[in-house]
Amino acid sequence: MGYATKYLSNPPRVRVFLASPLSSANSTWTTITWSATDGSNYETMWTSGSRVSCKAAGRYLVTYQAGFAANSTGYRFIQVRKNSAGSVASGIGVAASRLPHVGSSSAYVTGAFEVTANGGDYFELFAFQSSGGALDINGGVGETFLSARWVAVD
């Protein structure tokens, strides 16, 4: 059975999240280093660190979110990059989202996209905020996450 047939019934997928808050410096891109999965780490797409790796060539559905602590100043940005080696200046930017401050509530910047990837490619999430000081990126399973799921042969 080829990998495409196998993956149709049980596709490679992973959802990683930030288990506890991460401090983000003002006006600085922060690489999100993941600390846990929700149990869907099929074919070990994540082992540690900031990378979610593609195990087979094809099209992947990628979803992402970063929750920022409440603050009434500035903007919140996140971006997903492919093969960037932990640097926001490297690799290929494949998605980006932004949100102005929301005041007394946490700000959630989120997005989803499909992308073609080769086996061995990987995705990383970067966050940026301009609140004027350090600001926490929220931790918890539904707060800050990155997920990837193989959906088709491309």
Side-chain angles (χ1 to χ4, degrees), residues 22-47:
L22 173 66
S23 182
S24 174
N26 182 59
S27 297
T28 302
W29 284 101
T30 301
T31 304
I32 307 297
T33 300
W34 306 110
S35 47
T37 73
D38 69 354
S40 65
N41 194 16
Y42 179 73
E43 292 215 357
T44 319
M45 291 176 66
W46 176 77
T47 53

Side-chain angles (χ1 to χ4, degrees), residues 78-102:
I78 57 176
Q79 66 174 295
V80 178
R81 299 190 70 80
K82 184 167 75 170
N83 302 331
S84 62
S87 171
V88 75
S90 297
I92 301 166
V94 290
S97 301
R98 80 174 189 148
L99 184 72
H101 66 81
V102 292

Side-chain angles (χ1 to χ4, degrees), residues 2-13:
Y3 79 88
T5 304
K6 172 186 167 188
Y7 289 168
L8 288 175
S9 63
N10 194 16
R13 62 198 174 277

